[in-house]
Amino acid sequence: KNEVEQSPQNLTAQEGEFITINCSYSVGISALHWLQQHPGGGIVSLFMLSSGKKKHGRLIATINIQEKHSSLHITASHPRDSAVYICAVRLALGTGGSEKLVFGKGTKLTVNP
Amino acid sequence: NAGVTQTPKFRVLKTGQSMTLLCAQDMNHEYMYWYRQDPGMGLRLIHYSVGEGTTAKGEVPDGYNVSRLKKQNFLLGLESAAPSQTSVYFCASSYWNTEAFFGQGTRLTVV
């Protein structure tokens, strides 16, 4: 079983719709990241959060540490939001303070005009 | 401010050839990582570094070597490329427990 599970794998929406992407994880983490990857492009960090909720423009990210669950919401979706959204959790690597990101497989979002 | 820069962006290798991927960051980050991304799988950690002169193995290190002689650079080497190493490679950097910055990726094909 993957340490990070995302749902859905694929999501198609009409412009203007409210979008929710979910991420569940099975281990203790120090933080959770939401990332965006456009086709053929690099990866951009959207949010890093360890509790509560963060908002940036039309994007909202929430995390429930007790439930080991996070959601990414997009309000008033637009075709330019079409991308793969990736959830990643930050884990400690043994001793010494080093750490790594463990990634979900991503959710491919397509927003049609 | 360039952020994280990977070179090259594309490369085709023949089986058995060697090559080095360069990752350069200008944010004075301590942590640097090399990941590979394959269809249907999340990014997987190959090697990482927590500072100049230090490197460590990640989840899928076999067939790769790394070096971090300067804080700003993290090199990923393939000594004898295999078709299984066909992938998209991403470098990332960060401070401890902060947002990670990613390069644009290197698409490598081994034939």
Side-chain angles (χ1 to χ4, degrees):
Chain A
K1 186 180 185 300
N2 290 333
E3 291 169 305
V4 182
E5 297 281 353
Q6 284 186 240
S7 62
Q9 286 187 316
N10 293 281
L11 181 57
T12 300
Q14 289 300 122
E15 184 173 355
E17 285 185 2
F18 181 83
I19 304 292
T20 296
I21 299 170
N22 296 299
C23 176
S24 297
Y25 53 92
S26 56
V27 295
I29 66 171
S30 58
L32 182 143
H33 298 250
W34 282 102
L35 309 163
Q36 181 191 58
Q37 185 175 27
H38 280 282
I43 297 169
V44 176
S45 177
L46 298 174
F47 295 103
M48 187 185 96
L49 64 165
S50 53
S51 65
K53 175 180 173 179
K54 287 190 175 181
K55 185 176 188 291
H56 185 258
R58 295 180 293 107
L59 300 178
I60 303 166
T62 64
I63 188 169
N64 184 320
I65 296 294
Q66 287 74 28
E67 298 288 324
K68 293 187 168 59
H69 181 268
S70 176
S71 293
L72 176 68
H73 306 286
I74 304 175
T75 62
S77 60
H78 190 277
R80 66 175 174 266
D81 297 325
S82 298
V84 175
Y85 292 84
I86 302 170
C87 170
V89 297
R90 189 176 286 274
L91 303 179
L93 280 164
T95 59
S98 56
E99 51 185 22
K100 69 171 182 178
L101 292 176
V102 176
F103 295 81
K105 294 181 180 180
T107 295
K108 184 176 180 181
L109 172 65
T110 303
V111 182
N112 295 318
Chain B
N1 189 337
V4 180
T5 304
Q6 287 182 233
T7 52
K9 291 186 170 47
F10 303 93
R11 185 74 185 269
V12 178
L13 285 180
K14 292 183 179 178
T15 297
Q17 286 185 317
S18 63
M19 77 165 294
T20 300
L21 283 68
L22 171 64
C23 177
Q25 53 94 5
D26 60 4
M27 296 170 283
N28 203 35
H29 286 162
E30 292 293 336
Y31 288 78
M32 296 188 75
Y33 309 86
W34 276 107
Y35 294 93
R36 61 178 288 173
Q37 186 179 41
D38 300 295
M41 305 184 76
L43 282 87
R44 292 180 293 167
L45 181 64
I46 304 171
H47 285 280
Y48 66 98
S49 168
V50 301
E52 181 179 325
T54 71
T55 64
K57 295 180 180 180
E59 304 165 64
V60 288
D62 294 341
Y64 305 96
N65 57 73
V66 287
S67 65
R68 191 149 178 219
L69 300 178
K70 293 182 178 180
K71 187 176 185 178
Q72 63 266 36
N73 295 336
F74 194 30
L75 280 65
L76 178 70
L78 286 74
E79 290 187 347
S80 180
S84 60
Q85 294 177 303
T86 293
S87 188
V88 181
Y89 292 84
F90 285 95
C91 174
S93 71
S94 72
Y95 293 114
W96 180 80
N97 202 24
T98 63
E99 171 185 19
F101 292 81
F102 289 81
Q104 286 296 307
T106 297
R107 188 172 295 274
L108 175 66
T109 303
V110 182
V111 298

